[in-house]
């Protein structure tokens, strides 16, 4: 994931923020002091390890989910130096995930998996996140009119931004974890996105496997957003060419796929003309390799705009006219579309 928020409780939760500057942030909740300790992952993103108190009481999300849920053990207090407030609203284990919701004065975060990377966030005073979810919101400007699928809905960050900026959109979101969706409705306002906007847009939530044959609509999707991770890693199916060809068949003509490809443990060197050759030396990201093979000459990539991040996005179809794309998106996103470049396999 782009941003890894690691909370250092048993089990360790991981929140990733801009690396390079090692900082300690400390928090107080209910007269306890707790530390956020910065460290670096192999991917190069910064992780904040947060030792935190347990949420108020032991709880499960709802009765129908209770058979598949168990409470995460209470985090252990730690000592600190400076202070900044946060609270853990809930921590629970579902059939698919360890799930923790962390609230701060500025934002709310959804942490998942044993790694507890940040999978969703909701800012309280501003819409955009400064991360890849903002880039997903630029997709409607370069696809035909029609429904857009989000595979890996999580807490609904991308859907939230997209419906605010494009209130007439019809979004179809797939998420495998029903308890996660319950928490997203309770803590991240997902239920509000399921209501019709004044312009007629809305989000429809589907619980199920994103690779299922049921992931389709009559006439095809105008766009498909893919953000599928498990235990901090991109799903292995996304490293297979056949997976991408199957997903492409769910698009309408001229439709596109935009993908969060995760960290790219590699050096990238552009040729200066917006084109980079894939010769095995400039990138080691298996998802981008599979995408390049599935869509030869029709794949673009970009490094997300976050400082010190090594996450990559990919976009199928011909490289759009970047000036026209920038002019077509809401002004808040105009800078997000500048850095796309064509990915070509070496001949």
């Amino acid at each position: 994931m782009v941003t890894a928020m690691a909370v250092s409780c048993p089990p360790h939760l991981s929140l990733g923020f801009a690396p390079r500057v090692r900082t300690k942030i400390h928090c107080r909740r209910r007269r306890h002091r707790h530390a956020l300790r910065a460290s670096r992952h192999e991917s190069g993103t910064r992780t904040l390890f947060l030792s935190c108190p347990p949420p108020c009481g032991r709880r499960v999300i709802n009765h129908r989910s209770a058979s598949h849920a168990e409470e995460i053990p209470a985090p252990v207090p730690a000592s600190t130096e400076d202070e900044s407030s946060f609270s853990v609203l809930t921590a629970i284990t579902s059939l698919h995930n360890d799930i923790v919701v962390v609230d701060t004065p500025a934002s709310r975060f959804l942490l998942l998996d044993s790694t507890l990377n940040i999978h969703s966030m909701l800012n309280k005073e501003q819409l955009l996140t400064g991360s890849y979810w903002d880039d997903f919101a630029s997709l409607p400007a370069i696809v035909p009119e029609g429904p857009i699928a989000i595979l890996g809905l999580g807490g609904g960050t991308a859907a939230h931004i997209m419906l605010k900026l494009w209130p007439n959109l019809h979004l179809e979101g797939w998420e495998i974890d029903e308890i996660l969706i319950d928490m997203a409705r309770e803590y991240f306002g997902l239920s509000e996105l399921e209501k019709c906007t004044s312009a007629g847009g809305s989000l429809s939530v589907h619980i199920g496997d994103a690779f299922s044959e049921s992931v389709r609509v009559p006439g095809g999707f105008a766009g498909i957003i893919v953000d599928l991770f498990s235990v901090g890693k991109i799903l292995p199916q996304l490293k297979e060419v056949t997976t991408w060809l199957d997903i492409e068949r769910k698009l309408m003509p001229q439709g596109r796929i935009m993908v969060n490809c995760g960290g790219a443990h590699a050096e990238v060197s552009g040729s200066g003309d917006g084109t980079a050759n894939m010769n095995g030396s400039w990138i080691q990201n298996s998802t981008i390799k599979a995408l390049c093979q599935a869509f030869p000459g029709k794949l673009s990539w970009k490094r997300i705009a976050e400082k010190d991040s090594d996450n990559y996005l990919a976009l199928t179809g011909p490289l759009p006219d970047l000036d026209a794309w920038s002019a077509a998106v809401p002004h808040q996103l105009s800078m997000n579309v500048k850095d796309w470049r064509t990915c070509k396999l070496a001949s």
Side-chain angles (χ1 to χ4, degrees), residues 53 102 163 185 191 218:
V102 174
L163 282 170
R185 287 174 174 144
S191 55

Side-chain angles (χ1 to χ4, degrees), residues 110 112 119-120 152-157 174-175 180-181 184 190:
L110 174 68
L112 298 181
H119 282 245
S120 296
L153 183 61
T157 303
W174 269 264
E175 173 57 53
L180 191 159
I181 290 297
L190 193 70

Side-chain angles (χ1 to χ4, degrees), residues 11 24-25 29 47 73 99 113 161 175 219-220:
K24 288 189 178 179
I25 305 173
R29 182 175 184 252
T47 298
I99 305 171
D113 310 319
I161 298 170
E175 173 57 53

